Amino acid sequence: MAMRNVLGRNEVFEGSVAYGSADNFAHFVWFDTLSYNRFLVDYIDIKQLHINANYDRKINNIMSVNVKDDFYKWWDTLVHHKPNFTCELSAPINLRNKIKVKPTLSYTGKRFYDVSNNELSAQFHANLGLYYNYTQNIGAYLQLNNLTNSKQELWKDYREVGFNGLFGLHYSF
């Protein structure tokens, strides 16, 4: 079930609720041997509830706000390396229609990684995107990710990169 509701002139809410089941859903479980760590693929039958909400509001010609949330609930089993809750807040800023700045804050909830119900901690990231459109066909971008330089574990014994950047050019024919 999904809905889209225009709350005001520049304000939109979208939401969805889905319930389903999957047979032989593949997920990765951490397995520790004495000599090395590895992940085993475990095929499980799951029942899942997924609730999604998106809120967009254009404040003025320069700034807008976007919020995206996802919530998952699984029954009868534990799904490893999958968070129950994720959220992203961004505030795109439009400067003269050529330069766009997009600061983003994102949150990923805790995740379980083994059969003993051990957890990986929740993660919080601050990112910044800079976009320049020279013409409709030519542009460049710079993305600065993980501005807080956190190096938490994405998977058991696999840490995230830390602060990183991405630069690119694009051309459309």
Side-chain angles (χ1 to χ4, degrees), residues 9-146:
R9 183 175 169 189
N10 295 316
E11 196 171 14
V12 177
F13 172 81
E14 295 178 85
S16 66
V17 176
Y19 176 81
S21 63
D23 295 334
N24 295 322
F25 177 76
H27 73 138
F28 298 94
V29 179
W30 182 71
F31 181 72
D32 186 19
T33 64
L34 296 177
S35 57
Y36 59 92
N37 297 331
R38 68 182 310 173
F39 293 94
L40 298 176
V41 179
D42 188 16
Y43 296 95
I44 57 174
D45 299 335
I46 62 168
K47 293 178 184 171
Q48 172 183 285
L49 173 69
H50 177 211
I51 300 172
N52 173 272
N54 295 326
Y55 174 77
D56 294 317
R57 179 171 184 194
K58 184 176 178 183
I59 297 171
N60 53 35
N61 289 336
I62 297 173
M63 189 172 179
S64 60
V65 174
N66 308 73
V67 179
K68 297 178 185 180
D69 296 321
D70 281 301
F71 173 78
Y72 295 92
K73 170 73 175 156
W74 296 281
W75 281 275
D76 302 330
T77 189
L78 186 64
V79 179
H80 297 94
H81 292 97
K82 300 283 186 189
N84 286 354
F85 181 71
T86 61
C87 180
E88 182 177 289
L89 169 67
S90 63
I93 301 166
N94 184 3
L95 304 172
R96 297 185 186 175
N97 293 327
K98 288 198 174 270
I99 301 171
K100 294 186 174 134
V101 178
K102 186 179 178 185
T104 304
L105 300 174
S106 65
Y107 171 83
T108 302
K110 64 182 179 182
R111 293 135 1 248
F112 297 101
Y113 65 84
D114 67 4
V115 293
S116 301
N117 295 340
N118 291 317
E119 297 178 352
L120 296 172
S121 61
Q123 295 176 321
F124 178 77
H125 288 126
N127 303 321
L128 180 65
L130 304 167
Y131 307 91
Y132 176 72
N133 293 318
Y134 181 69
T135 65
Q136 258 187 322
N137 299 343
I138 301 170
Y141 59 90
L142 173 66
Q143 294 176 348
L144 303 173
N145 302 313
N146 196 358

